PDB file of all heavy atoms in Angstrom:
ATOM      1  N   GLU A  38     -94.673 -25.904 -77.913  1.00 97.00           N
ATOM      2  CA  GLU A  38     -95.521 -24.972 -77.151  1.00 97.00           C
ATOM      3  C   GLU A  38     -94.888 -24.466 -75.837  1.00 97.00           C
ATOM      4  O   GLU A  38     -95.443 -23.564 -75.215  1.00 97.00           O
ATOM      5  CB  GLU A  38     -96.857 -25.632 -76.838  1.00 97.00           C
ATOM      6  CG  GLU A  38     -97.612 -25.921 -78.156  1.00 97.00           C
ATOM      7  CD  GLU A  38     -99.039 -26.354 -77.882  1.00 97.00           C
ATOM      8  OE1 GLU A  38     -99.235 -27.432 -77.269  1.00 97.00           O
ATOM      9  OE2 GLU A  38     -99.955 -25.601 -78.259  1.00 97.00           O
ATOM     10  N   ALA A  41     -87.740 -24.238 -73.416  1.00 98.00           N
ATOM     11  CA  ALA A  41     -86.692 -25.213 -73.637  1.00 98.00           C
ATOM     12  C   ALA A  41     -86.419 -25.933 -72.315  1.00 98.00           C
ATOM     13  O   ALA A  41     -86.752 -25.441 -71.230  1.00 98.00           O
ATOM     14  CB  ALA A  41     -85.422 -24.563 -74.121  1.00 98.00           C
ATOM     15  N   ASN A  53     -73.202 -16.345 -70.911  1.00 98.00           N
ATOM     16  CA  ASN A  53     -73.806 -15.144 -71.494  1.00 98.00           C
ATOM     17  C   ASN A  53     -72.810 -14.017 -71.768  1.00 98.00           C
ATOM     18  O   ASN A  53     -72.904 -13.341 -72.793  1.00 98.00           O
ATOM     19  CB  ASN A  53     -74.914 -14.631 -70.552  1.00 98.00           C
ATOM     20  CG  ASN A  53     -75.729 -13.544 -71.213  1.00 98.00           C
ATOM     21  OD1 ASN A  53     -76.106 -13.678 -72.386  1.00 98.00           O
ATOM     22  ND2 ASN A  53     -75.979 -12.436 -70.472  1.00 98.00           N
ATOM     23  N   ALA A 238     -84.821 -27.988 -77.365  1.00 98.00           N
ATOM     24  CA  ALA A 238     -84.058 -26.739 -77.453  1.00 98.00           C
ATOM     25  C   ALA A 238     -85.019 -25.563 -77.545  1.00 98.00           C
ATOM     26  O   ALA A 238     -86.221 -25.739 -77.801  1.00 98.00           O
ATOM     27  CB  ALA A 238     -83.149 -26.787 -78.683  1.00 98.00           C
ATOM     28  N   LYS A 268     -75.730 -14.264 -83.551  1.00 98.00           N
ATOM     29  CA  LYS A 268     -75.150 -14.867 -82.347  1.00 98.00           C
ATOM     30  C   LYS A 268     -75.206 -16.396 -82.476  1.00 98.00           C
ATOM     31  O   LYS A 268     -75.946 -17.062 -81.751  1.00 98.00           O
ATOM     32  CB  LYS A 268     -75.911 -14.364 -81.100  1.00 98.00           C
ATOM     33  CG  LYS A 268     -75.735 -12.844 -80.910  1.00 98.00           C
ATOM     34  CD  LYS A 268     -76.458 -12.293 -79.708  1.00 98.00           C
ATOM     35  CE  LYS A 268     -76.284 -10.774 -79.705  1.00 98.00           C
ATOM     36  NZ  LYS A 268     -77.125 -10.090 -78.681  1.00 98.00           N
ATOM     37  N   ARG A 270     -73.418 -18.647 -81.660  1.00 98.00           N
ATOM     38  CA  ARG A 270     -73.056 -19.376 -80.432  1.00 98.00           C
ATOM     39  C   ARG A 270     -74.294 -19.987 -79.731  1.00 98.00           C
ATOM     40  O   ARG A 270     -74.173 -21.029 -79.107  1.00 98.00           O
ATOM     41  CB  ARG A 270     -72.423 -18.433 -79.455  1.00 98.00           C
ATOM     42  CG  ARG A 270     -73.448 -17.313 -79.075  1.00 98.00           C
ATOM     43  CD  ARG A 270     -72.765 -16.098 -78.452  1.00 98.00           C
ATOM     44  NE  ARG A 270     -72.725 -16.188 -77.003  1.00 98.00           N
ATOM     45  CZ  ARG A 270     -71.843 -15.507 -76.296  1.00 98.00           C
ATOM     46  NH1 ARG A 270     -70.965 -14.741 -76.921  1.00 98.00           N
ATOM     47  NH2 ARG A 270     -71.809 -15.621 -74.987  1.00 98.00           N
TER      48      ARG A 270
ATOM     49  N   GLU T  17     -71.337  -9.882 -79.854  1.00 97.00           N
ATOM     50  CA  GLU T  17     -70.348 -10.858 -79.357  1.00 97.00           C
ATOM     51  C   GLU T  17     -70.699 -11.456 -77.985  1.00 97.00           C
ATOM     52  O   GLU T  17     -70.043 -12.388 -77.555  1.00 97.00           O
ATOM     53  CB  GLU T  17     -68.980 -10.195 -79.280  1.00 97.00           C
ATOM     54  CG  GLU T  17     -68.492  -9.830 -80.702  1.00 97.00           C
ATOM     55  CD  GLU T  17     -67.068  -9.374 -80.691  1.00 97.00           C
ATOM     56  OE1 GLU T  17     -66.763  -8.330 -80.078  1.00 97.00           O
ATOM     57  OE2 GLU T  17     -66.242 -10.102 -81.306  1.00 97.00           O
ATOM     58  N   ALA T  20     -77.205 -11.865 -74.137  1.00 98.00           N
ATOM     59  CA  ALA T  20     -78.238 -10.868 -74.066  1.00 98.00           C
ATOM     60  C   ALA T  20     -78.255 -10.230 -72.710  1.00 98.00           C
ATOM     61  O   ALA T  20     -77.704 -10.829 -71.729  1.00 98.00           O
ATOM     62  CB  ALA T  20     -79.599 -11.522 -74.305  1.00 98.00           C
ATOM     63  N   ASN T  32     -90.921 -20.009 -69.133  1.00 98.00           N
ATOM     64  CA  ASN T  32     -90.495 -21.159 -69.929  1.00 98.00           C
ATOM     65  C   ASN T  32     -91.495 -22.287 -70.086  1.00 98.00           C
ATOM     66  O   ASN T  32     -91.610 -22.889 -71.137  1.00 98.00           O
ATOM     67  CB  ASN T  32     -89.196 -21.702 -69.284  1.00 98.00           C
ATOM     68  CG  ASN T  32     -88.539 -22.769 -70.159  1.00 98.00           C
ATOM     69  OD1 ASN T  32     -88.401 -22.572 -71.343  1.00 98.00           O
ATOM     70  ND2 ASN T  32     -88.147 -23.875 -69.546  1.00 98.00           N
ATOM     71  N   ALA T 217     -80.853  -7.908 -77.152  1.00 98.00           N
ATOM     72  CA  ALA T 217     -81.632  -9.156 -77.174  1.00 98.00           C
ATOM     73  C   ALA T 217     -80.727 -10.301 -77.534  1.00 98.00           C
ATOM     74  O   ALA T 217     -79.597 -10.102 -78.029  1.00 98.00           O
ATOM     75  CB  ALA T 217     -82.766  -9.050 -78.176  1.00 98.00           C
ATOM     76  N   LYS T 247     -91.136 -21.311 -82.132  1.00 98.00           N
ATOM     77  CA  LYS T 247     -91.445 -20.751 -80.834  1.00 98.00           C
ATOM     78  C   LYS T 247     -91.389 -19.246 -80.886  1.00 98.00           C
ATOM     79  O   LYS T 247     -90.515 -18.594 -80.297  1.00 98.00           O
ATOM     80  CB  LYS T 247     -90.450 -21.318 -79.802  1.00 98.00           C
ATOM     81  CG  LYS T 247     -90.594 -22.860 -79.680  1.00 98.00           C
ATOM     82  CD  LYS T 247     -89.645 -23.479 -78.720  1.00 98.00           C
ATOM     83  CE  LYS T 247     -89.783 -25.009 -78.742  1.00 98.00           C
ATOM     84  NZ  LYS T 247     -88.760 -25.716 -77.943  1.00 98.00           N
ATOM     85  N   ARG T 249     -92.960 -17.035 -79.581  1.00 98.00           N
ATOM     86  CA  ARG T 249     -93.009 -16.370 -78.265  1.00 98.00           C
ATOM     87  C   ARG T 249     -91.690 -15.816 -77.810  1.00 98.00           C
ATOM     88  O   ARG T 249     -91.658 -14.808 -77.107  1.00 98.00           O
ATOM     89  CB  ARG T 249     -93.504 -17.398 -77.237  1.00 98.00           C
ATOM     90  CG  ARG T 249     -92.461 -18.562 -77.129  1.00 98.00           C
ATOM     91  CD  ARG T 249     -92.967 -19.790 -76.477  1.00 98.00           C
ATOM     92  NE  ARG T 249     -92.717 -19.771 -75.041  1.00 98.00           N
ATOM     93  CZ  ARG T 249     -93.433 -20.508 -74.191  1.00 98.00           C
ATOM     94  NH1 ARG T 249     -94.378 -21.271 -74.672  1.00 98.00           N
ATOM     95  NH2 ARG T 249     -93.200 -20.459 -72.890  1.00 98.00           N
TER      96      ARG T 249
END
Side-chain angles (χ1 to χ4, degrees):
Chain A
E38 297 189 295
N53 190 46
K268 297 180 183 171
R270 62 197 268 156
Chain T
E17 296 189 295
N32 190 45
K247 297 179 184 172
R249 63 196 269 157

